[in-house]
Short mmCIF file of all heavy atoms in Angstrom, two decimals:
data_model
loop_
_atom_site.label_atom_id
_atom_site.label_comp_id
_atom_site.label_asym_id
_atom_site.label_seq_id
_atom_site.Cartn_x
_atom_site.Cartn_y
_atom_site.Cartn_z
N GLU A 29 19.22 -148.68 110.01
CA GLU A 29 18.32 -149.51 110.83
C GLU A 29 17.32 -148.65 111.58
O GLU A 29 16.13 -148.97 111.66
CB GLU A 29 19.14 -150.36 111.79
CG GLU A 29 19.97 -151.44 111.13
CD GLU A 29 19.11 -152.41 110.31
OE1 GLU A 29 18.00 -152.75 110.78
OE2 GLU A 29 19.55 -152.80 109.21
N GLN A 30 17.80 -147.54 112.15
CA GLN A 30 16.90 -146.68 112.92
C GLN A 30 15.86 -146.02 112.03
O GLN A 30 14.70 -145.89 112.42
CB GLN A 30 17.71 -145.62 113.67
CG GLN A 30 18.54 -146.19 114.80
CD GLN A 30 19.31 -145.11 115.55
OE1 GLN A 30 19.40 -143.97 115.11
NE2 GLN A 30 19.87 -145.49 116.70
N VAL A 31 16.27 -145.60 110.83
CA VAL A 31 15.31 -144.99 109.90
C VAL A 31 14.25 -146.00 109.47
O VAL A 31 13.06 -145.70 109.44
CB VAL A 31 16.05 -144.41 108.67
CG1 VAL A 31 15.04 -143.98 107.60
CG2 VAL A 31 16.91 -143.21 109.06
N LYS A 32 14.67 -147.22 109.16
CA LYS A 32 13.71 -148.26 108.75
C LYS A 32 12.73 -148.57 109.87
O LYS A 32 11.55 -148.85 109.63
CB LYS A 32 14.45 -149.52 108.32
CG LYS A 32 15.15 -149.40 106.98
CD LYS A 32 15.80 -150.71 106.57
CE LYS A 32 16.43 -150.62 105.20
NZ LYS A 32 17.10 -151.90 104.80
N ASP A 33 13.21 -148.54 111.13
CA ASP A 33 12.33 -148.84 112.26
C ASP A 33 11.24 -147.80 112.44
O ASP A 33 10.20 -148.09 113.06
CB ASP A 33 13.16 -148.94 113.55
CG ASP A 33 14.02 -150.20 113.59
OD1 ASP A 33 13.71 -151.14 112.82
OD2 ASP A 33 14.99 -150.24 114.36
N THR A 34 11.48 -146.59 111.91
CA THR A 34 10.46 -145.55 112.06
C THR A 34 9.35 -145.67 111.02
O THR A 34 8.36 -144.92 111.09
CB THR A 34 11.10 -144.14 111.91
OG1 THR A 34 11.59 -143.99 110.56
CG2 THR A 34 12.23 -143.95 112.90
N HIS A 35 9.48 -146.56 110.06
CA HIS A 35 8.57 -146.59 108.90
C HIS A 35 7.47 -147.63 109.10
O HIS A 35 7.73 -148.83 109.16
CB HIS A 35 9.36 -146.90 107.61
CG HIS A 35 8.56 -146.72 106.37
ND1 HIS A 35 7.90 -145.54 106.07
CD2 HIS A 35 8.32 -147.57 105.32
CE1 HIS A 35 7.29 -145.68 104.90
NE2 HIS A 35 7.52 -146.89 104.42
N ASN A 36 6.24 -147.16 109.24
CA ASN A 36 5.09 -148.06 109.38
C ASN A 36 3.91 -147.43 108.65
O ASN A 36 2.98 -146.90 109.25
CB ASN A 36 4.75 -148.27 110.86
CG ASN A 36 3.64 -149.28 111.05
OD1 ASN A 36 3.42 -150.16 110.20
ND2 ASN A 36 2.91 -149.17 112.16
N PRO A 37 3.94 -147.45 107.29
CA PRO A 37 2.97 -146.66 106.51
C PRO A 37 1.56 -147.21 106.58
O PRO A 37 1.34 -148.40 106.72
CB PRO A 37 3.53 -146.76 105.08
CG PRO A 37 4.27 -148.06 105.07
CD PRO A 37 4.86 -148.21 106.45
N ASN A 38 0.62 -146.29 106.49
CA ASN A 38 -0.80 -146.60 106.39
C ASN A 38 -1.24 -146.25 104.98
O ASN A 38 -1.30 -145.09 104.60
CB ASN A 38 -1.59 -145.79 107.43
CG ASN A 38 -3.06 -146.14 107.43
OD1 ASN A 38 -3.56 -146.78 106.52
ND2 ASN A 38 -3.76 -145.72 108.48
N GLY A 39 -1.56 -147.27 104.21
CA GLY A 39 -1.86 -147.04 102.79
C GLY A 39 -3.10 -146.23 102.55
O GLY A 39 -3.32 -145.74 101.44
N ASP A 40 -3.96 -146.09 103.57
CA ASP A 40 -5.20 -145.32 103.39
C ASP A 40 -4.98 -143.82 103.44
O ASP A 40 -5.86 -143.05 103.08
CB ASP A 40 -6.22 -145.72 104.46
CG ASP A 40 -6.64 -147.18 104.34
OD1 ASP A 40 -6.59 -147.70 103.22
OD2 ASP A 40 -7.00 -147.77 105.37
N ILE A 41 -3.82 -143.39 103.93
CA ILE A 41 -3.54 -141.96 104.06
C ILE A 41 -2.98 -141.43 102.73
O ILE A 41 -2.00 -141.94 102.23
CB ILE A 41 -2.55 -141.69 105.20
CG1 ILE A 41 -3.14 -142.15 106.54
CG2 ILE A 41 -2.19 -140.22 105.26
CD1 ILE A 41 -2.20 -141.98 107.70
N ASP A 42 -3.61 -140.41 102.22
CA ASP A 42 -3.18 -139.83 100.94
C ASP A 42 -2.79 -138.37 101.16
O ASP A 42 -3.58 -137.58 101.70
CB ASP A 42 -4.31 -139.93 99.91
CG ASP A 42 -3.87 -139.44 98.54
OD1 ASP A 42 -2.65 -139.48 98.27
OD2 ASP A 42 -4.73 -139.03 97.75
N VAL A 43 -1.60 -138.03 100.76
CA VAL A 43 -1.10 -136.66 100.89
C VAL A 43 -0.86 -136.10 99.49
O VAL A 43 -0.20 -136.75 98.66
CB VAL A 43 0.21 -136.61 101.70
CG1 VAL A 43 0.78 -135.20 101.72
CG2 VAL A 43 -0.03 -137.10 103.11
N ASP A 44 -1.43 -134.94 99.21
CA ASP A 44 -1.21 -134.29 97.91
C ASP A 44 0.19 -133.65 97.94
O ASP A 44 0.34 -132.45 98.15
CB ASP A 44 -2.29 -133.25 97.65
CG ASP A 44 -2.25 -132.74 96.22
OD1 ASP A 44 -1.27 -133.04 95.51
OD2 ASP A 44 -3.19 -132.05 95.80
N ALA A 45 1.19 -134.50 97.74
CA ALA A 45 2.58 -134.06 97.88
C ALA A 45 2.93 -132.99 96.85
O ALA A 45 3.66 -132.04 97.16
CB ALA A 45 3.52 -135.26 97.75
N SER A 46 2.44 -133.12 95.64
CA SER A 46 2.78 -132.15 94.59
C SER A 46 2.26 -130.76 94.93
O SER A 46 2.95 -129.76 94.76
CB SER A 46 2.22 -132.62 93.24
OG SER A 46 2.78 -133.86 92.88
N CYS A 47 1.03 -130.71 95.42
CA CYS A 47 0.45 -129.42 95.79
C CYS A 47 1.21 -128.79 96.96
O CYS A 47 1.51 -127.60 96.97
CB CYS A 47 -1.02 -129.61 96.14
SG CYS A 47 -1.88 -128.09 96.61
N LEU A 48 1.53 -129.62 97.95
CA LEU A 48 2.27 -129.13 99.11
C LEU A 48 3.66 -128.65 98.72
O LEU A 48 4.15 -127.63 99.21
CB LEU A 48 2.37 -130.25 100.15
CG LEU A 48 2.90 -129.89 101.55
CD1 LEU A 48 2.09 -128.76 102.16
CD2 LEU A 48 2.89 -131.11 102.45
N LEU A 49 4.29 -129.37 97.79
CA LEU A 49 5.62 -128.98 97.33
C LEU A 49 5.58 -127.65 96.59
O LEU A 49 6.50 -126.84 96.70
CB LEU A 49 6.19 -130.08 96.43
CG LEU A 49 7.68 -129.98 96.10
CD1 LEU A 49 8.52 -130.15 97.35
CD2 LEU A 49 8.08 -131.04 95.07
N LYS A 50 4.52 -127.42 95.84
CA LYS A 50 4.38 -126.14 95.13
C LYS A 50 4.25 -124.99 96.13
O LYS A 50 4.85 -123.92 95.95
CB LYS A 50 3.14 -126.18 94.23
CG LYS A 50 2.89 -124.89 93.45
CD LYS A 50 4.02 -124.65 92.45
CE LYS A 50 3.71 -123.47 91.54
NZ LYS A 50 3.63 -122.19 92.25
N PHE A 51 3.52 -125.21 97.20
CA PHE A 51 3.39 -124.19 98.25
C PHE A 51 4.75 -123.90 98.89
O PHE A 51 5.11 -122.75 99.13
CB PHE A 51 2.39 -124.67 99.29
CG PHE A 51 2.32 -123.79 100.51
CD1 PHE A 51 1.80 -122.51 100.45
CD2 PHE A 51 2.78 -124.26 101.73
CE1 PHE A 51 1.74 -121.72 101.56
CE2 PHE A 51 2.73 -123.47 102.86
CZ PHE A 51 2.21 -122.19 102.77
N VAL A 52 5.51 -124.95 99.15
CA VAL A 52 6.84 -124.79 99.74
C VAL A 52 7.75 -124.00 98.80
O VAL A 52 8.50 -123.13 99.22
CB VAL A 52 7.46 -126.16 100.06
CG1 VAL A 52 8.91 -126.03 100.46
CG2 VAL A 52 6.67 -126.84 101.18
N GLU A 53 7.65 -124.31 97.52
CA GLU A 53 8.50 -123.63 96.54
C GLU A 53 8.19 -122.13 96.53
O GLU A 53 9.11 -121.31 96.38
CB GLU A 53 8.29 -124.23 95.16
CG GLU A 53 9.22 -123.66 94.10
CD GLU A 53 9.04 -124.31 92.75
OE1 GLU A 53 7.92 -124.79 92.48
OE2 GLU A 53 10.00 -124.33 91.96
N ASP A 54 6.93 -121.77 96.67
CA ASP A 54 6.57 -120.35 96.71
C ASP A 54 7.23 -119.63 97.89
O ASP A 54 7.66 -118.49 97.77
CB ASP A 54 5.05 -120.20 96.80
CG ASP A 54 4.37 -120.64 95.51
OD1 ASP A 54 5.05 -120.67 94.48
OD2 ASP A 54 3.16 -120.95 95.55
N ILE A 55 7.29 -120.31 99.04
CA ILE A 55 7.92 -119.70 100.20
C ILE A 55 9.43 -119.56 100.00
O ILE A 55 10.05 -118.59 100.40
CB ILE A 55 7.62 -120.52 101.48
CG1 ILE A 55 6.12 -120.51 101.76
CG2 ILE A 55 8.39 -119.98 102.68
CD1 ILE A 55 5.72 -121.32 102.96
N PHE A 56 10.04 -120.57 99.34
CA PHE A 56 11.48 -120.55 99.12
C PHE A 56 11.90 -119.60 98.00
O PHE A 56 13.09 -119.46 97.74
CB PHE A 56 11.99 -121.94 98.80
CG PHE A 56 12.07 -122.84 100.00
CD1 PHE A 56 12.11 -124.22 99.86
CD2 PHE A 56 12.13 -122.31 101.28
CE1 PHE A 56 12.18 -125.04 100.98
CE2 PHE A 56 12.21 -123.12 102.38
CZ PHE A 56 12.23 -124.49 102.24
N ASN A 57 10.93 -119.00 97.34
CA ASN A 57 11.25 -118.03 96.29
C ASN A 57 11.70 -116.74 96.98
O ASN A 57 10.91 -115.88 97.31
CB ASN A 57 10.04 -117.78 95.42
CG ASN A 57 10.37 -116.96 94.19
OD1 ASN A 57 11.33 -116.20 94.18
ND2 ASN A 57 9.56 -117.09 93.16
N PHE A 58 13.03 -116.61 97.17
CA PHE A 58 13.56 -115.55 98.03
C PHE A 58 13.18 -114.16 97.56
O PHE A 58 12.80 -113.31 98.36
CB PHE A 58 15.10 -115.66 98.09
CG PHE A 58 15.55 -116.99 98.60
CD1 PHE A 58 16.31 -117.83 97.80
CD2 PHE A 58 15.21 -117.41 99.88
CE1 PHE A 58 16.73 -119.05 98.27
CE2 PHE A 58 15.64 -118.64 100.35
CZ PHE A 58 16.39 -119.47 99.55
N ASN A 59 13.26 -113.92 96.25
CA ASN A 59 12.95 -112.58 95.76
C ASN A 59 11.51 -112.19 96.06
O ASN A 59 11.21 -111.08 96.48
CB ASN A 59 13.23 -112.50 94.27
CG ASN A 59 14.72 -112.63 93.97
OD1 ASN A 59 15.55 -112.26 94.79
ND2 ASN A 59 15.05 -113.16 92.80
N ALA A 60 10.61 -113.17 95.84
CA ALA A 60 9.19 -112.89 96.08
C ALA A 60 8.92 -112.65 97.55
O ALA A 60 8.17 -111.77 97.93
CB ALA A 60 8.34 -114.06 95.56
N VAL A 61 9.57 -113.43 98.44
CA VAL A 61 9.35 -113.28 99.87
C VAL A 61 9.84 -111.92 100.37
O VAL A 61 9.17 -111.23 101.13
CB VAL A 61 10.04 -114.42 100.66
CG1 VAL A 61 10.01 -114.14 102.15
CG2 VAL A 61 9.35 -115.74 100.35
N LEU A 62 11.02 -111.49 99.91
CA LEU A 62 11.56 -110.21 100.34
C LEU A 62 10.70 -109.07 99.85
O LEU A 62 10.52 -108.07 100.54
CB LEU A 62 12.99 -110.06 99.84
CG LEU A 62 14.02 -111.00 100.50
CD1 LEU A 62 15.37 -110.82 99.82
CD2 LEU A 62 14.14 -110.75 101.99
N GLN A 63 10.16 -109.23 98.66
CA GLN A 63 9.30 -108.17 98.13
C GLN A 63 7.98 -108.12 98.92
O GLN A 63 7.49 -107.04 99.26
CB GLN A 63 9.00 -108.44 96.65
CG GLN A 63 8.22 -107.30 95.99
CD GLN A 63 8.01 -107.56 94.53
OE1 GLN A 63 8.36 -108.61 94.01
NE2 GLN A 63 7.43 -106.61 93.84
N GLU A 64 7.45 -109.29 99.23
CA GLU A 64 6.23 -109.32 100.02
C GLU A 64 6.48 -108.85 101.45
O GLU A 64 5.57 -108.47 102.17
CB GLU A 64 5.66 -110.75 100.03
CG GLU A 64 5.10 -111.17 98.69
CD GLU A 64 4.62 -112.62 98.72
OE1 GLU A 64 4.71 -113.24 99.80
OE2 GLU A 64 4.18 -113.12 97.67
N GLY A 65 7.77 -108.91 101.89
CA GLY A 65 8.10 -108.49 103.25
C GLY A 65 7.76 -107.04 103.50
O GLY A 65 7.64 -106.62 104.66
N MET A 66 7.64 -106.25 102.45
CA MET A 66 7.26 -104.85 102.64
C MET A 66 5.80 -104.75 103.06
O MET A 66 5.37 -103.74 103.57
CB MET A 66 7.47 -104.09 101.32
CG MET A 66 8.91 -104.07 100.84
SD MET A 66 9.05 -103.21 99.26
CE MET A 66 10.79 -103.45 98.93
N GLN A 67 5.03 -105.79 102.80
CA GLN A 67 3.62 -105.77 103.16
C GLN A 67 3.43 -106.40 104.53
O GLN A 67 4.38 -106.71 105.23
CB GLN A 67 2.82 -106.51 102.08
CG GLN A 67 3.05 -105.94 100.68
CD GLN A 67 2.39 -106.80 99.62
OE1 GLN A 67 1.73 -107.77 99.93
NE2 GLN A 67 2.60 -106.43 98.37
N ASP A 68 2.21 -106.65 104.87
CA ASP A 68 1.89 -107.20 106.19
C ASP A 68 2.29 -108.67 106.25
O ASP A 68 1.68 -109.51 105.60
CB ASP A 68 0.40 -107.05 106.46
CG ASP A 68 0.03 -107.43 107.88
OD1 ASP A 68 0.94 -107.77 108.66
OD2 ASP A 68 -1.16 -107.38 108.21
#
Side-chain angles (χ1 to χ4, degrees):
E29 291 302 320
Q30 290 182 348
V31 170
K32 287 183 177 179
D33 288 342
T34 65
H35 190 54
N36 185 25
N38 184 346
D40 296 332
I41 299 177
D42 185 25
V43 175
D44 191 348
S46 298
C47 181
L48 190 55
L49 192 66
K50 180 65 173 65
F51 172 69
V52 171
E53 186 178 26
D54 291 340
I55 296 178
F56 284 160
N57 189 336
F58 302 118
N59 293 331
V61 170
L62 291 175
Q63 186 177 5
E64 290 176 2
M66 299 177 183
Q67 304 172 4
D68 188 2

